[in-house]
């Protein structure tokens, strides 16, 4: 411990005293006393306690650091040895504000030690007095000496000669001792060496902070009551209430707190003169804040917003950093702060988000479906309008052909073609109500149509269907081939009369179906004007159909080779 | 000779039928004609014919009203209609013959031949009875019986007992709840038209399925329907969307 003293004094009090290696300095005056004119520096840094035996006795004063004061009762409990040194056996004593009010040795906590002055001894009468310093009552570390140093008198004046006021007091020296030891400064008159005229003792104490009560945020009113109890009287200029602890039962020590009691005020029992004095280090399960200065001048440490967990609050005074108090406490987790609750809540949170996203997506999906559906409906309406367009030229030409038969009196054939015509009309009307019809139905209609056209132009036609195709089951867009066959008749075989050959074929190629309409006419590619309408409609219909088909596509190509025109329609993936 | 009554609101049409029967020497003797339903009923009750040529669509009471008013069904019937939409599905449901105007002599001949065969071994006209049942509770959309005509017999199967139909060219095979299967020589698309109103769905070019027997739609590959008897019915791409839509509406 001893080896720390120089370091500590350098650290904390280099401003008020030069580093002093000696335990005892009776040769020079501490510069606080030297430079102080009105006692301001003394009051700033030091507390003082005075003792005087009898109204005319010498007034012996002790000055010591005001950074930290301890309760006399507590000191007596903690260091009973102090009771061996009585500082006021009888007679009067005076106590300055904020000074130590105990009746035993003055507890000294820091390296400044104690400075002793005596009022009533001045340079004129100093030769009548001598003083000595005893360590632990027995060892004389300063033998009987005549006071040699004088300083301007501070506050209290002792009139040596009742006729005049003293301007100076004797400065006996600055004394230090190891912790656990006591120094006693005694004064006697040379004329009467058997009697100690004045004396005081100081005891070097080891000291650490003690938590005397804890207040949660909800107990703030209790805290204020206690605080007022302790410090309220100070407003009147008095010292703090010495018995503040005895008067209250509000001080409670607790070690476990609820999750919402996460603002804690730790109440200490010493009187702290500066916020740098108290230092704390809060250790949680894994972490620690490191030593920090307190945020308050007062004897309390306020920890805010603590999360649930187990803590150790370590407290120390900067004056004696090796003296550490540990206070263990815990803040219980609320149900929602436990790992499981957190997990559960985050799962809940995530699933809520997921749910919302899902709802959002499904709503979007349904909107998209709706949009698709409506566009599909639009496409279908358009398709329907295309389907229902049966070339009126054909209708009336067919009727005209039948009329020709009637005028030729060929009633048998007239009746036959009339039936063909009515069947064609019926079937095509029916087919126009369906998006798709079986190959059988479609080819029936084509055949009806071709028979009627045959009546007019006399060409040959042939419909060949791959036997692998189930014509009853496989469907194609209704009346799909009619415009192409009509083109082949109109621009192909019609002019050739009996020499005209029209060939329609349905073939299966892998999963595709290929339908070809071939004629040996002069071709209609060059003759763009008149081909336009029927094929244009077909192409439009293919476009629309392809929009509604999934993975199935229809494509149309027209080629001319070997004096033949071939329209070929590929139904891709049609047989899947 | 088959004794026949012709009911048609147009006199010309009656003459066409009568003329054609005469021209092609068909063994039919016309015992009565009528141009409206009420007259027709009178004629039928008065003459008790073997055969009735009946126009379906007539102003006022139609052909079905006429049938409803009759006390019995002990005669053969051939419907004659101009356009095969009005009420024709009921007729098809019972697999009763019908002719379209203008008449085809060959078709007429064929129909008369069938009637001749039936008239010989005279019995109750079950097809007509089925039709009567059908048109009686047409709105109460319940388990109507579908006539499945094979070469040997006509079977009447409640639609709810048909699990599915499968096409094989001009034939359609019906798979019934009792495990039986019946092959009918009519293309599948004709049955699609008839059964679509009874919650059947065409899920594939070759397949027509009663939706109430669908267990689930499996989306593997192109997808297929798993039926309650664990049969797998393929889904064709072009039908998939319709099937999904239909199954969704059923669930709601």
């Amino acid at each position: 411990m001893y080896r720390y003293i120089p370091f500590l004094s350098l650290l904390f009090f280099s401003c008020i005293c030069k580093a002093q290696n000696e335990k005892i300095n009776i040769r020079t005056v501490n510069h606080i006393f030297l430079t102080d004119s009105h006692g301001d520096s003394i009051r700033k840094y030091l507390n003082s306690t005075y003792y005087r035996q009898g109204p005319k006795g010498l007034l012996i004063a002790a000055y010591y650091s005001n950074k930290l004061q301890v309760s006399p009762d507590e000191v007596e409990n903690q260091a009973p040895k102090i009771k061996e040194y009585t500082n006021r056996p009888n007679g009067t004593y005076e106590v300055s504000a904020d000074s130590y009010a105990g009746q035993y040795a003055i507890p000294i906590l820091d390296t400044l030690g104690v400075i002793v002055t005596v009022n009533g001894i001045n340079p004129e009468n100093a030769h009548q007095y001598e003083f000595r310093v005893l360590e632990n009552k027995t060892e004389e570390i300063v033998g009987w000496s005549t006071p040699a140093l004088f300083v301007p008198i501070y506050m209290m004046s002792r009139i040596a000669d009742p006729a005049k006021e003293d301007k100076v007091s004797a400065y006996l020296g600055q004394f230090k001792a190891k912790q656990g030891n006591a120094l006693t400064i005694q004064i006697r008159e040379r004329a009467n060496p058997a009697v100690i005229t004045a004396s005081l003792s100081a005891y070097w104490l080891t000291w650490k902070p003690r938590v005397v009560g804890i207040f949660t945020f909800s107990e703030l009113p209790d805290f204020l009551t206690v605080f007022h109890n302790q410090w309220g009287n100070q407003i009147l200029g008095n010292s703090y209430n010495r018995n503040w602890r005895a008067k209250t039962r509000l001080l409670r020590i607790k070690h476990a707190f609820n999750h919402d009691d996460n603002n804690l005020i730790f109440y200490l029992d010493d009187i702290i003169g500066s916020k740098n004095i108290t230092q704390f280090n809060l250790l949680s399960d894994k972490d620690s804040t490191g030593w920090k200065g307190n945020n308050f001048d007062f004897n309390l440490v306020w920890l805010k917003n603590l999360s649930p967990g187990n803590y150790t609050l370590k407290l120390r005074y900067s004056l004696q950093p090796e003296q550490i108090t540990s206070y263990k406490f815990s803040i219980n987790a609320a149900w929602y702060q436990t790992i499981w609750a957190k997990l559960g809540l985050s799962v809940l949170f995530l699933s809520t988000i997921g749910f919302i996203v899902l709802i959002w997506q499904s709503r979007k999906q349904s909107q998209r479906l709706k949009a698709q559906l409506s566009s599909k409906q639009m496409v279908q309406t358009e398709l329907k309008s295309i389907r229902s367009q049966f070339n009126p030229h054909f209708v009336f030409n067919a009727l005209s052909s039948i009329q020709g038969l009637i005028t030729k009196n060929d009633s048998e054939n007239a009746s036959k073609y009339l039936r063909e015509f009515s069947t064609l009309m019926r079937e095509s009307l029916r087919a126009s109500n369906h998006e798709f019809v079986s190959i059988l139905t479609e080819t029936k209609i084509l055949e009806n149509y071709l028979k009627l056209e045959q009546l007019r132009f006399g060409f040959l036609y042939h419909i060949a269907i791959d036997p692998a195709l189930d014509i009853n089951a496989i469907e194609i867009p209704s009346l799909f081939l009619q415009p192409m066959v009509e083109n082949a008749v109109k621009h192909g075989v019609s002019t050739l009369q009996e020499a005209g050959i029209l060939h329609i074929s349905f073939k299966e190629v892998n999963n595709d179906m290929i339908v070809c309409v071939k004629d040996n006419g002069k071709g209609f590619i060059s003759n763009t004007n008149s081909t336009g309408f029927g094929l244009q409609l077909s192409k439009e219909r293919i476009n629309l159909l392809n929009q509604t088909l999934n993975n199935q596509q229809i494509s149309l190509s027209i080629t001319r080779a070997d004096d033949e025109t071939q329209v070929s329609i590929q139904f891709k993936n049609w047989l899947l | 000779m088959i004794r026949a009554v012709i009911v048609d609101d147009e006199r010309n049409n009656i003459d066409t039928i009568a003329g054609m029967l005469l021209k092609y020497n068909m063994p039919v003797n016309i015992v009565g004609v009528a141009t409206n339903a009420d007259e027709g009923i009178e004629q039928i009750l008065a003459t008790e014919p073997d055969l009735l040529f009946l126009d379906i669509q007539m102003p006022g009471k139609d052909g079905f009203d006429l049938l409803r008013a009759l006390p019995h069904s002990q005669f053969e019937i051939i419907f004659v209609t101009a356009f095969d939409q009005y009420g024709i599905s009921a007729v098809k449901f019972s697999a009763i013959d019908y002719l379209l105007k203008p008449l085809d002599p060959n078709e007429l001949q064929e129909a008369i031949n069938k009637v001749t065969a039936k008239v010989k071994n005279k019995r109750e006209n079950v097809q007509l009875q089925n039709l009567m049942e059908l048109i009686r509770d047409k709105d109460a959309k319940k388990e109507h019986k579908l006539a499945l005509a094979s070469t040997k017999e006509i079977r009447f199967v409640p639609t709810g007992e048909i699990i599915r139909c499968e096409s094989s060219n001009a034939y359609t095979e019906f798979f019934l709840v009792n495990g039986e299967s019946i092959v009918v020589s009519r293309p599948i698309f004709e049955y699609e038209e008839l059964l679509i109103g009874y919650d059947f769905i065409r899920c594939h070019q070759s397949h027509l399925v009663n939706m109430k027997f669908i267990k689930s739609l499996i989306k593997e590959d192109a997808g297929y329907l798993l039926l309650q008897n664990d049969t797998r019915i393929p889904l064709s791409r072009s039908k998939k969307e319709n099937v999904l839509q239909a199954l969704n509406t059923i669930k709601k």
Side-chain angles (χ1 to χ4, degrees):
Chain A
M1 181 61 229
Y2 182 72
R3 60 197 170 95
Y4 283 115
I5 289 172
F7 166 73
L8 287 170
S9 47
L10 184 69
L11 195 62
F12 295 109
F13 301 105
S14 57
C15 55
I16 52 168
C17 57
K18 293 193 174 85
Q20 294 178 28
N21 294 321
E22 306 130 37
K23 276 161 71 175
I24 306 296
N25 183 359
I26 53 169
R27 308 262 176 253
T28 55
V29 175
N30 186 296
H31 79 282
I32 298 175
F33 282 79
L34 269 182
T35 56
D36 189 68
S37 50
H38 303 99
D40 290 343
S41 301
I42 293 172
R43 280 190 294 277
K44 189 175 176 189
Y45 299 115
L46 304 170
N47 281 344
S48 54
T49 306
Y50 313 94
Y51 301 102
R52 181 166 61 181
Q53 217 158 12
K56 290 184 178 174
L58 296 174
L59 185 143
I60 185 164
Y63 299 86
Y64 45 90
S65 168
N66 64 3
K67 297 298 172 207
L68 180 67
Q69 293 173 59
V70 293
S71 144
D73 298 336
E74 202 55 43
V75 172
E76 287 159 24
N77 287 335
Q78 299 280 319
K81 210 177 163 189
I82 209 166
K83 292 186 190 169
E84 294 167 18
Y85 304 89
T86 302
N87 266 357
R88 36 187 168 94
N90 48 46
T92 61
Y93 63 97
E94 290 166 41
V95 178
S96 60
D98 301 333
S99 78
Y100 175 68
Q103 59 179 314
Y104 306 112
I106 298 167
I108 303 299
L109 293 151
D110 73 355
T111 51
L112 183 70
V114 63
I115 293 167
V116 179
T117 63
V118 183
N119 291 10
I121 298 177
N122 54 37
E124 286 77 45
N125 68 1
H127 63 278
Q128 297 169 20
Y129 297 94
E130 54 185 2
F131 72 96
R132 69 168 178 178
V133 180
L134 293 176
E135 191 167 55
N136 298 333
K137 283 187 176 172
T138 50
E139 192 190 343
E140 195 176 67
I141 54 169
V142 177
W144 288 110
S145 325
T146 307
L149 300 170
F150 300 93
V151 291
I153 201 156
Y154 171 67
M155 291 248 314
M156 310 293 292
S157 59
R158 155 73 174 87
I159 297 130
D161 176 354
K164 60 179 186 183
E165 193 175 289
D166 279 357
K167 296 284 184 218
V168 294
S169 59
Y171 180 95
L172 300 189
Q174 184 173 1
F175 309 100
K176 296 169 192 177
K178 287 186 193 170
Q179 281 166 343
N181 292 337
L183 293 181
T184 305
I185 295 99
Q186 296 177 322
I187 300 162
R188 67 180 183 186
E189 291 178 41
R190 284 184 190 273
N192 194 2
V195 176
I196 301 297
T197 318
S199 87
L200 67 78
S201 299
Y203 182 82
W204 274 257
L205 199 61
T206 55
W207 203 248
K208 55 187 174 187
R210 271 155 301 116
V211 176
V212 292
I214 297 177
F215 299 93
T216 65
F217 216 65
S218 55
E219 294 164 346
L220 217 54
D222 291 351
F223 161 74
L224 290 171
T225 307
V226 170
F227 192 75
H228 185 80
N229 227 336
Q230 186 178 11
W231 297 103
N233 288 342
Q234 228 191 4
I235 298 160
L236 302 171
N238 295 327
S239 174
Y240 75 103
N241 183 355
R242 210 187 128 166
N243 296 318
W244 64 276
R245 281 181 69 182
K247 281 187 179 176
T248 181
R249 288 180 178 168
L250 298 174
L251 287 170
R252 285 178 293 259
I253 295 290
K254 282 195 286 183
H255 294 275
F257 300 91
N258 290 329
H259 67 94
D260 50 349
D261 289 332
N262 58 351
N263 286 299
L264 300 175
I265 298 171
F266 291 79
Y267 209 91
L268 311 178
D269 70 341
D270 299 318
I271 292 111
I272 286 96
S274 159
K275 61 179 164 190
N276 292 322
I277 297 301
T278 317
Q279 296 180 330
F280 69 87
N281 183 6
L282 182 65
L283 286 80
S284 61
D285 296 328
K286 287 171 189 166
D287 208 5
S288 85
T289 58
W291 286 105
K292 293 204 296 192
N294 196 14
N295 301 318
F296 300 93
D297 278 339
F298 293 106
N299 47 324
L300 55 95
V301 172
W302 189 344
L303 301 177
K304 291 169 188 173
N305 299 324
L306 297 166
S307 39
N310 296 314
Y311 292 95
T312 304
L313 176 63
K314 295 200 165 186
L315 292 164
R316 71 182 185 191
Y317 292 128
S318 57
L319 310 174
Q320 298 189 8
E322 71 282 8
Q323 299 294 329
I324 295 168
T325 298
S326 287
Y327 191 93
K328 286 183 191 295
F329 67 96
S330 63
I331 292 181
N332 299 324
W335 64 269
Y336 55 81
Q337 286 170 319
T338 62
I339 287 284
W340 287 112
K342 276 178 186 171
L343 260 174
L345 281 174
S346 34
V347 165
L348 195 74
F349 178 73
L350 284 177
S351 54
T352 308
I353 291 218
F355 192 62
I356 288 168
V357 166
L358 220 68
I359 287 181
W360 182 69
Q361 272 188 342
S362 81
R363 185 167 291 180
K364 228 173 105 174
Q365 174 96 355
S366 77
Q367 274 172 355
R368 208 168 53 220
L369 275 177
K370 215 180 250 177
Q372 266 179 8
L373 203 70
S374 71
S375 78
K376 203 168 174 177
Q377 276 166 349
M378 241 169 64
V379 167
Q380 271 163 359
T381 337
E382 274 181 72
L383 282 174
K384 202 168 175 180
S385 77
I386 291 175
R387 281 204 302 269
S388 58
Q389 291 189 23
F390 215 86
N391 191 348
H393 276 270
F394 157 76
V395 174
F396 295 109
N397 281 329
L399 285 172
S400 159
S401 302
I402 293 164
Q403 191 184 32
L405 289 171
I406 294 167
T407 49
K408 279 197 279 176
N409 258 334
D410 187 353
S411 66
E412 197 74 19
N413 271 326
S415 164
K416 179 187 161 198
Y417 287 113
L418 202 57
R419 281 196 307 276
E420 296 285 355
F421 181 75
S422 59
T423 307
L424 175 63
M425 291 323 288
R426 189 167 15 241
E427 290 295 328
S428 61
L429 267 175
R430 203 154 65 145
S432 71
N433 282 327
H434 292 85
E435 178 80 51
F436 292 91
V437 293
S438 63
I439 294 178
L440 181 71
T441 309
E442 180 78 0
T443 48
K444 249 186 183 170
I445 294 171
L446 285 179
E447 216 158 339
N448 274 137
Y449 168 75
L450 286 170
K451 275 180 187 162
L452 284 165
E453 294 288 46
Q454 226 178 7
L455 179 66
R456 291 167 64 199
F457 304 117
F459 57 88
L460 290 176
Y461 73 85
H462 183 237
I463 299 178
I465 302 174
D466 193 333
L469 295 168
D470 183 343
I471 56 167
N472 291 285
I474 298 165
E475 295 179 323
I476 59 170
S478 62
L479 301 176
F480 188 73
L481 301 174
Q482 204 277 333
M484 294 155 213
V485 173
E486 192 177 326
N487 255 320
V489 171
K490 212 155 87 182
H491 306 288
V493 295
S494 62
T495 49
L496 297 176
Q497 299 292 339
E498 273 76 13
I501 297 167
L502 178 62
H503 191 85
I504 301 169
S505 65
F506 291 74
K507 265 182 247 153
E508 184 184 328
V509 179
N510 297 325
N511 289 319
D512 305 343
M513 181 171 74
I514 313 280
V515 179
C516 287
V517 179
K518 205 156 61 173
D519 71 77
N520 60 348
K522 63 177 164 52
F524 54 86
I525 293 175
S526 51
N527 194 357
T528 43
N529 273 348
S530 53
T531 63
F533 192 62
L535 270 185
Q536 196 50 46
L537 276 183
S538 291
K539 282 176 181 167
E540 223 169 278
R541 191 173 173 196
I542 289 169
N543 268 338
L544 292 169
L545 280 166
N546 283 344
Q547 285 173 35
T548 65
L549 293 169
N550 290 329
N551 301 315
Q552 293 181 317
Q553 293 289 302
I554 304 171
S555 54
L556 178 112
S557 63
I558 303 167
T559 50
R560 180 151 176 90
D562 303 333
D563 279 340
E564 281 184 337
T565 307
Q566 178 172 316
V567 177
S568 137
I569 307 126
Q570 186 193 27
F571 295 83
K572 203 164 171 53
N573 290 330
W574 209 254
L575 307 174
L576 274 179
Chain B
M1 285 291 261
I2 296 165
R3 299 170 66 252
V5 167
I6 305 173
V7 182
D8 197 312
D9 62 315
E10 276 182 61
R11 189 74 217 185
N12 282 338
N13 288 333
I14 297 175
D15 292 346
T16 305
I17 296 169
M20 214 173 262
L21 289 169
L22 194 67
K23 188 177 177 185
Y24 293 96
N25 293 317
M26 294 182 206
V28 179
N29 185 19
I30 294 158
V31 294
V33 294
T35 51
N36 62 58
D38 290 332
E39 255 179 65
I41 293 162
E42 269 175 46
Q43 291 288 332
I44 292 161
L45 292 176
T47 59
E48 296 207 338
D50 303 317
L51 173 64
L52 173 63
F53 289 97
L54 181 60
D55 188 5
I56 300 174
Q57 198 170 15
M58 292 185 290
K61 289 183 182 172
D62 66 12
F64 293 144
D65 292 329
L66 181 145
L67 290 177
R68 278 189 206 100
L70 290 177
H72 63 88
S73 55
Q74 286 163 345
F75 53 88
E76 295 302 318
I77 190 164
I78 295 172
F79 286 99
V80 183
T81 186
F83 193 53
D84 60 354
Q85 267 184 326
Y86 183 80
I88 206 71
S89 65
V91 176
K92 285 180 176 173
F93 226 84
S94 303
I96 295 172
D97 279 323
Y98 63 96
L99 300 175
L100 293 167
K101 299 173 192 172
L103 291 183
D104 184 331
N106 296 328
E107 286 174 9
L108 180 62
Q109 181 72 65
E110 214 173 295
I112 295 299
N113 288 348
K114 277 192 203 170
V115 171
T116 312
K118 282 178 183 173
V119 167
K120 267 181 191 165
N121 34 16
K122 177 128 184 164
R123 52 185 154 175
E124 284 288 289
N125 187 342
V126 280
Q127 284 164 282
L128 186 52
Q129 277 170 357
N130 191 60
L131 173 68
M132 304 289 265
E133 262 175 53
L134 230 144
I135 58 179
R136 202 170 297 134
D137 45 29
K138 203 178 180 196
D139 298 324
K141 189 182 170 186
K142 53 175 202 177
E143 300 257 296
H144 290 144
K145 286 175 185 163
L146 177 68
L148 299 180
S150 60
T151 42
K152 289 178 200 162
E153 52 164 2
I154 295 178
R155 286 277 297 275
F156 295 91
V157 181
T159 54
E161 289 177 18
I162 302 168
I163 297 173
R164 63 186 186 93
C165 315
E166 188 172 341
S167 162
S168 70
N169 268 316
Y171 295 92
T172 303
E173 187 169 10
F174 285 77
F175 294 84
L176 307 184
V177 173
N178 60 11
E180 211 181 329
S181 73
I182 299 171
V183 178
V184 181
S185 71
R186 292 205 151 277
I188 195 166
F189 63 84
E190 287 191 9
Y191 289 107
E192 182 192 1
E193 278 175 16
L194 292 181
L195 292 172
I196 211 86
Y198 294 85
D199 285 340
F200 278 65
I201 187 150
R202 186 90 178 264
C203 60
H204 185 271
Q205 284 159 342
S206 304
H207 294 277
L208 181 63
V209 174
N210 190 340
M211 285 201 276
K212 76 173 186 177
F213 293 108
I214 296 175
K215 192 152 73 177
S216 53
L217 188 152
I218 312 294
K219 289 186 175 177
E220 283 166 25
D221 303 323
Y224 59 86
L225 292 174
L226 189 64
L227 302 190
Q228 276 168 14
N229 58 6
D230 288 331
T231 317
R232 292 179 174 200
I233 306 299
L235 268 178
S236 69
R237 294 191 183 191
S238 55
K239 307 280 186 189
K240 196 171 177 179
E241 214 166 304
N242 283 340
V243 173
L244 277 171
Q245 215 173 341
L247 289 177
N248 279 336
T249 24
I250 266 208
K251 273 173 206 159
K252 285 162 192 167

